[in-house]
PDB file of all heavy atoms in Angstrom:
ATOM      1  N   GLU A  82      30.252  69.990  18.793  1.00 55.00           N
ATOM      2  CA  GLU A  82      28.938  69.674  19.320  1.00 55.00           C
ATOM      3  C   GLU A  82      27.952  70.751  18.939  1.00 55.00           C
ATOM      4  O   GLU A  82      26.887  70.478  18.325  1.00 55.00           O
ATOM      5  CB  GLU A  82      28.940  69.457  20.862  1.00 55.00           C
ATOM      6  CG  GLU A  82      27.615  69.043  21.364  1.00 55.00           C
ATOM      7  CD  GLU A  82      27.717  68.796  22.944  1.00 55.00           C
ATOM      8  OE1 GLU A  82      28.707  69.149  23.483  1.00 55.00           O
ATOM      9  OE2 GLU A  82      26.763  68.202  23.447  1.00 55.00           O
ATOM     10  N   ASP A  83      28.266  72.028  19.154  1.00 60.00           N
ATOM     11  CA  ASP A  83      27.383  73.165  18.827  1.00 60.00           C
ATOM     12  C   ASP A  83      27.206  73.261  17.333  1.00 60.00           C
ATOM     13  O   ASP A  83      26.087  73.586  16.811  1.00 60.00           O
ATOM     14  CB  ASP A  83      27.986  74.471  19.395  1.00 60.00           C
ATOM     15  CG  ASP A  83      27.885  74.450  20.965  1.00 60.00           C
ATOM     16  OD1 ASP A  83      27.060  73.704  21.502  1.00 60.00           O
ATOM     17  OD2 ASP A  83      28.642  75.312  21.560  1.00 60.00           O
ATOM     18  N   PHE A  84      28.282  73.050  16.601  1.00 56.00           N
ATOM     19  CA  PHE A  84      28.195  73.135  15.104  1.00 56.00           C
ATOM     20  C   PHE A  84      27.142  72.173  14.552  1.00 56.00           C
ATOM     21  O   PHE A  84      26.357  72.551  13.715  1.00 56.00           O
ATOM     22  CB  PHE A  84      29.574  72.883  14.526  1.00 56.00           C
ATOM     23  CG  PHE A  84      29.555  72.684  13.034  1.00 56.00           C
ATOM     24  CD1 PHE A  84      29.510  73.819  12.186  1.00 56.00           C
ATOM     25  CD2 PHE A  84      29.614  71.436  12.483  1.00 56.00           C
ATOM     26  CE1 PHE A  84      29.512  73.693  10.794  1.00 56.00           C
ATOM     27  CE2 PHE A  84      29.571  71.311  11.103  1.00 56.00           C
ATOM     28  CZ  PHE A  84      29.532  72.420  10.271  1.00 56.00           C
ATOM     29  N   PHE A  85      27.167  70.911  14.993  1.00 56.00           N
ATOM     30  CA  PHE A  85      26.266  69.893  14.377  1.00 56.00           C
ATOM     31  C   PHE A  85      24.870  70.184  14.888  1.00 56.00           C
ATOM     32  O   PHE A  85      23.932  69.949  14.092  1.00 56.00           O
ATOM     33  CB  PHE A  85      26.681  68.451  14.861  1.00 56.00           C
ATOM     34  CG  PHE A  85      27.793  67.928  13.962  1.00 56.00           C
ATOM     35  CD1 PHE A  85      29.089  67.700  14.473  1.00 56.00           C
ATOM     36  CD2 PHE A  85      27.542  67.574  12.673  1.00 56.00           C
ATOM     37  CE1 PHE A  85      30.070  67.175  13.643  1.00 56.00           C
ATOM     38  CE2 PHE A  85      28.484  67.064  11.843  1.00 56.00           C
ATOM     39  CZ  PHE A  85      29.781  66.882  12.332  1.00 56.00           C
ATOM     40  N   ARG A  86      24.690  70.695  16.096  1.00 62.00           N
ATOM     41  CA  ARG A  86      23.361  70.981  16.606  1.00 62.00           C
ATOM     42  C   ARG A  86      22.749  72.160  15.747  1.00 62.00           C
ATOM     43  O   ARG A  86      21.601  72.100  15.293  1.00 62.00           O
ATOM     44  CB  ARG A  86      23.421  71.440  18.043  1.00 62.00           C
ATOM     45  CG  ARG A  86      22.017  71.654  18.633  1.00 62.00           C
ATOM     46  CD  ARG A  86      22.028  72.172  20.033  1.00 62.00           C
ATOM     47  NE  ARG A  86      22.634  71.178  20.942  1.00 62.00           N
ATOM     48  CZ  ARG A  86      23.810  71.295  21.554  1.00 62.00           C
ATOM     49  NH1 ARG A  86      24.474  72.497  21.365  1.00 62.00           N
ATOM     50  NH2 ARG A  86      24.290  70.435  22.349  1.00 62.00           N
ATOM     51  N   GLU A  87      23.556  73.215  15.474  1.00 62.00           N
ATOM     52  CA  GLU A  87      23.079  74.297  14.698  1.00 62.00           C
ATOM     53  C   GLU A  87      22.743  73.869  13.247  1.00 62.00           C
ATOM     54  O   GLU A  87      21.752  74.308  12.709  1.00 62.00           O
ATOM     55  CB  GLU A  87      24.163  75.483  14.634  1.00 62.00           C
ATOM     56  CG  GLU A  87      24.311  76.130  16.002  1.00 62.00           C
ATOM     57  CD  GLU A  87      25.439  77.118  16.005  1.00 62.00           C
ATOM     58  OE1 GLU A  87      25.993  77.385  14.925  1.00 62.00           O
ATOM     59  OE2 GLU A  87      25.734  77.730  17.045  1.00 62.00           O
ATOM     60  N   PHE A  88      23.633  73.034  12.702  1.00 56.00           N
ATOM     61  CA  PHE A  88      23.397  72.535  11.279  1.00 56.00           C
ATOM     62  C   PHE A  88      22.125  71.757  11.251  1.00 56.00           C
ATOM     63  O   PHE A  88      21.237  71.961  10.318  1.00 56.00           O
ATOM     64  CB  PHE A  88      24.591  71.658  10.900  1.00 56.00           C
ATOM     65  CG  PHE A  88      24.428  71.084   9.542  1.00 56.00           C
ATOM     66  CD1 PHE A  88      24.590  71.754   8.372  1.00 56.00           C
ATOM     67  CD2 PHE A  88      23.971  69.669   9.401  1.00 56.00           C
ATOM     68  CE1 PHE A  88      24.414  71.134   7.147  1.00 56.00           C
ATOM     69  CE2 PHE A  88      23.769  69.100   8.197  1.00 56.00           C
ATOM     70  CZ  PHE A  88      24.012  69.787   7.055  1.00 56.00           C
ATOM     71  N   ARG A  89      21.841  70.905  12.225  1.00 59.00           N
ATOM     72  CA  ARG A  89      20.597  70.120  12.212  1.00 59.00           C
ATOM     73  C   ARG A  89      19.454  70.931  12.294  1.00 59.00           C
ATOM     74  O   ARG A  89      18.427  70.761  11.674  1.00 59.00           O
ATOM     75  CB  ARG A  89      20.664  69.081  13.351  1.00 59.00           C
ATOM     76  CG  ARG A  89      19.479  68.076  13.345  1.00 59.00           C
ATOM     77  CD  ARG A  89      19.642  67.037  14.475  1.00 59.00           C
ATOM     78  NE  ARG A  89      19.548  67.640  15.760  1.00 59.00           N
ATOM     79  CZ  ARG A  89      20.531  67.729  16.722  1.00 59.00           C
ATOM     80  NH1 ARG A  89      21.698  67.159  16.381  1.00 59.00           N
ATOM     81  NH2 ARG A  89      20.336  68.302  17.851  1.00 59.00           N
ATOM     82  N   ASP A  90      19.440  71.997  13.151  1.00 61.00           N
ATOM     83  CA  ASP A  90      18.326  72.914  13.331  1.00 61.00           C
ATOM     84  C   ASP A  90      18.102  73.756  12.088  1.00 61.00           C
ATOM     85  O   ASP A  90      16.931  73.898  11.669  1.00 61.00           O
ATOM     86  CB  ASP A  90      18.585  73.832  14.562  1.00 61.00           C
ATOM     87  CG  ASP A  90      18.628  73.107  15.860  1.00 61.00           C
ATOM     88  OD1 ASP A  90      18.056  71.980  15.885  1.00 61.00           O
ATOM     89  OD2 ASP A  90      19.108  73.674  16.794  1.00 61.00           O
ATOM     90  N   ARG A  91      19.180  74.199  11.324  1.00 58.00           N
ATOM     91  CA  ARG A  91      19.006  75.033  10.199  1.00 58.00           C
ATOM     92  C   ARG A  91      18.379  74.155   9.080  1.00 58.00           C
ATOM     93  O   ARG A  91      17.655  74.690   8.306  1.00 58.00           O
ATOM     94  CB  ARG A  91      20.359  75.597   9.769  1.00 58.00           C
ATOM     95  CG  ARG A  91      20.855  76.699  10.569  1.00 58.00           C
ATOM     96  CD  ARG A  91      21.932  77.477   9.741  1.00 58.00           C
ATOM     97  NE  ARG A  91      22.957  76.647   9.273  1.00 58.00           N
ATOM     98  CZ  ARG A  91      24.066  76.300   9.928  1.00 58.00           C
ATOM     99  NH1 ARG A  91      24.265  76.827  11.140  1.00 58.00           N
ATOM    100  NH2 ARG A  91      25.002  75.548   9.451  1.00 58.00           N
ATOM    101  N   SER A  92      18.719  72.910   9.074  1.00 55.00           N
ATOM    102  CA  SER A  92      18.241  72.053   7.915  1.00 55.00           C
ATOM    103  C   SER A  92      16.864  71.430   8.217  1.00 55.00           C
ATOM    104  O   SER A  92      16.332  70.625   7.532  1.00 55.00           O
ATOM    105  CB  SER A  92      19.319  70.907   7.617  1.00 55.00           C
ATOM    106  OG  SER A  92      19.406  70.102   8.773  1.00 55.00           O
ATOM    107  N   GLY A  93      16.350  71.832   9.382  1.00 54.00           N
ATOM    108  CA  GLY A  93      15.023  71.352   9.726  1.00 54.00           C
ATOM    109  C   GLY A  93      14.955  70.008  10.291  1.00 54.00           C
ATOM    110  O   GLY A  93      13.935  69.348  10.335  1.00 54.00           O
ATOM    111  N   GLN A  94      16.118  69.466  10.706  1.00 53.00           N
ATOM    112  CA  GLN A  94      16.203  68.099  11.263  1.00 53.00           C
ATOM    113  C   GLN A  94      16.216  68.114  12.788  1.00 53.00           C
ATOM    114  O   GLN A  94      17.034  67.542  13.389  1.00 53.00           O
ATOM    115  CB  GLN A  94      17.473  67.350  10.708  1.00 53.00           C
ATOM    116  CG  GLN A  94      17.413  67.218   9.160  1.00 53.00           C
ATOM    117  CD  GLN A  94      18.715  66.543   8.705  1.00 53.00           C
ATOM    118  OE1 GLN A  94      19.401  66.012   9.507  1.00 53.00           O
ATOM    119  NE2 GLN A  94      18.943  66.523   7.408  1.00 53.00           N
ATOM    120  N   GLY A  95      15.259  68.847  13.355  1.00 51.00           N
ATOM    121  CA  GLY A  95      15.153  68.874  14.801  1.00 51.00           C
ATOM    122  C   GLY A  95      14.451  67.623  15.261  1.00 51.00           C
ATOM    123  O   GLY A  95      14.526  66.572  14.645  1.00 51.00           O
ATOM    124  N   ASP A  96      13.643  67.715  16.273  1.00 54.00           N
ATOM    125  CA  ASP A  96      12.958  66.627  16.875  1.00 54.00           C
ATOM    126  C   ASP A  96      11.538  66.492  16.274  1.00 54.00           C
ATOM    127  O   ASP A  96      10.731  65.754  16.780  1.00 54.00           O
ATOM    128  CB  ASP A  96      12.835  66.708  18.378  1.00 54.00           C
ATOM    129  CG  ASP A  96      14.236  66.591  19.016  1.00 54.00           C
ATOM    130  OD1 ASP A  96      15.077  65.924  18.464  1.00 54.00           O
ATOM    131  OD2 ASP A  96      14.455  67.228  20.094  1.00 54.00           O
TER     132      ASP A  96
END
Side-chain angles (χ1 to χ4, degrees):
E82 186 177 10
D83 292 338
F84 170 78
F85 278 111
R86 183 184 298 111
E87 291 174 6
F88 175 80
R89 187 177 65 246
D90 293 341
R91 285 199 308 271
S92 61
Q94 298 180 10
D96 293 330

